[in-house]
Amino acid sequence: MAVTANVYNHTTSLVAGQSIDTTNLKAMLLTSLASFDATDTTVDAVAGALTGSPAERANEFYGNGWAQGGPTVGSVAASTITTNDAKLAAAQISVAASGGEIGPARYVLLYDATNSKPLILYDLGQDEHAGDTTDFKFTFDLTGGSNAIFTLTV
């Protein structure tokens, strides 16, 4: 299945305004109960608000090695491709399942954990799992290869 990247309406504005904390980007796994609405402006609107004790989100999957809220995205870097083009890239995410499987996860939410802003919702096309002792991997390369989260042309 093909992975589809869905960009929130405010993402371009956050990029242009340099309002994204690239040192605190996270990747949250969401179940098939989640859905994309381009007008969502908070992680709570996408994943559900933290409720209960212990606090959990209605649409988030975590456990068995995948941290609640998701791992921090590593090696995030902006670079110039040409005079009019730039890209934001990051390392592949890889988390080993331990004590059970990771999943089911239908979506990966890339978000800025500093300001709780969703940036991109990746639709995996189907529920994905990683069995116990297997790595759940997600690679940013949908928009131009070499781990590109996105490219920007001016």
Side-chain angles (χ1 to χ4, degrees):
M1 284 256 149
V3 175
T4 304
N6 299 291
V7 180
Y8 292 93
N9 289 348
H10 64 263
T11 300
T12 304
S13 175
L14 293 172
V15 170
Q18 298 180 356
S19 301
I20 298 172
D21 182 356
T22 59
T23 65
N24 202 17
L25 295 183
K26 293 196 174 202
M28 181 185 293
L29 295 181
L30 300 178
T31 68
S32 59
L33 297 174
S35 62
F36 178 71
D37 180 343
T39 63
D40 286 342
T41 59
T42 66
V43 170
D44 285 353
V46 180
L50 286 168
T51 61
S53 181
E56 297 181 318
R57 297 179 185 278
N59 300 330
E60 180 182 10
F61 173 86
Y62 69 93
N64 301 328
W66 196 277
Q68 186 176 28
T72 299
V73 178
S75 302
V76 178
S79 61
T80 301
I81 301 170
T82 67
T83 303
N84 297 327
D85 301 303
K87 77 173 179 178
L88 186 67
Q92 178 187 67
I93 297 167
S94 182
V95 176
S98 176
E101 72 176 15
I102 294 175
R106 170 66 188 257
Y107 304 98
V108 176
L109 176 64
L110 178 68
Y111 71 102
D112 181 344
T114 299
N115 61 25
S116 199
K117 294 285 187 189
L119 303 173
I120 302 171
L121 185 68
Y122 297 94
D123 184 342
L124 304 177
Q126 64 187 21
D127 283 345
E128 296 291 346
H129 306 259
D132 195 12
T133 73
T134 303
D135 289 347
F136 189 102
K137 295 180 181 181
F138 185 77
T139 303
F140 298 100
D141 65 358
L142 301 174
T143 59
S146 63
N147 298 327
I149 295 172
F150 59 78
T151 57
L152 178 65
T153 301
V154 180

